[in-house]
Amino acid sequence: KYTFGILRQIMTMCLFMYAVPYIKERKLGKFLTIVCINFFIHRGSLIYAVLYFISRIKINRKIFAGYYLMAVLCLVASPFLIDGVIAPLMAMLDYAHYVPESWAMNNQVILVFTLPILLFFTINFDDFFENKINNITCWGFLLTLPIQVFSTLHGVFGRLAFYYYIFIIMLLPADLTKYKNKKVENCIM
């Protein structure tokens, strides 16, 4: 069952890549058609719909830093939210078995929250986001942050964050090829 669940997620990730040009071209109907097809394969893929709307906002230094700060505040508050609000609410709804004993930081959360710091110092904000695909992929990755915060709560959140991981795979090479440090450029080429 686990393998089939992951296979469905990978299928929807691959299918969603066909929707990225429709985000760029602002073709909502075609975009939603792919999201709907994905929904029938794996319901969690509905989370992709957010990317269409948020990617309209062009990222600049202030937006990037502000969004990251909001995600960090969410991370800092998450133990209190999970242990103090979500866990009692889930218990009241008879879903206590979905909530761990208490929130715990893990290496995945640390990695996902470290990558934006590295990006912040390597991206040339003056021109990098003029490319709409770079803007879309960066938003795709940034959307992972608040979801990743709750990944220790239940595997569902980890799987939802997984949908947006593909965007860091696209974003890092785009950033590195534009990076002005010649030593890094020579390593890539």
Side-chain angles (χ1 to χ4, degrees), residues 70-82:
M70 181 220 44
V72 168
L73 291 174
C74 188
L75 179 64
V76 170
S78 63
F80 308 107
L81 289 172
I82 292 170

Side-chain angles (χ1 to χ4, degrees), residues 4-189:
F4 187 68
I6 295 299
L7 177 63
R8 291 184 305 139
Q9 274 188 280
I10 297 295
M11 286 172 53
T12 58
M13 283 173 60
C14 293
L15 257 170
F16 186 72
M17 290 299 104
Y18 287 104
V20 171
Y22 299 132
I23 297 172
K24 180 182 175 189
E25 298 162 9
R26 309 311 300 166
K27 294 184 178 180
L28 182 60
K30 291 181 178 186
F31 170 80
L32 288 178
T33 300
I34 292 175
V35 169
C36 287
I37 292 168
N38 275 347
F39 176 77
F40 290 118
I41 297 169
H42 198 271
R43 289 179 301 193
S45 65
L46 193 59
I47 198 163
Y48 280 133
V50 175
L51 185 57
Y52 183 88
F53 301 100
I54 199 165
S55 68
R56 288 184 143 186
I57 301 168
K58 185 178 172 209
I59 296 175
N60 59 35
R61 190 175 294 280
K62 275 179 144 176
I63 289 172
F64 190 99
Y67 185 88
Y68 182 75
L69 180 61
M70 181 220 44
V72 168
L73 291 174
C74 188
L75 179 64
V76 170
S78 63
F80 308 107
L81 289 172
I82 292 170
D83 296 340
V85 177
I86 296 173
L89 181 64
M90 296 293 274
M92 187 175 73
L93 297 172
D94 201 29
Y95 288 105
H97 58 282
Y98 284 116
V99 181
E101 294 289 321
S102 64
W103 188 88
M105 180 69 74
N106 64 35
N107 290 337
Q108 185 73 25
V109 173
I110 293 167
L111 174 64
V112 169
F113 273 82
T114 302
L115 288 173
I117 296 169
L118 298 173
L119 287 169
F120 186 81
F121 290 108
T122 59
I123 287 177
N124 179 353
F125 284 91
D126 294 332
D127 70 344
F128 187 76
F129 295 111
E130 293 300 322
N131 180 324
K132 288 183 181 181
I133 294 295
N134 290 345
N135 197 62
I136 292 166
T137 56
C138 191
W139 273 121
F141 172 63
L142 291 174
L143 286 170
T144 304
L145 299 175
I147 301 166
Q148 189 66 52
V149 167
F150 295 102
S151 66
T152 60
L153 174 65
H154 192 269
V156 169
F157 291 104
R159 289 192 297 273
L160 290 176
F162 183 73
Y163 279 119
Y164 284 121
Y165 287 161
I166 195 162
F167 290 104
I168 193 65
I169 296 168
M170 296 162 58
L171 185 62
L172 284 176
D175 175 31
L176 290 174
T177 57
K178 297 277 186 184
Y179 193 56
K180 302 241 185 269
N181 186 325
K182 291 296 179 194
K183 289 181 183 177
V184 173
E185 184 180 347
N186 290 335
C187 290
I188 298 167
M189 302 302 172

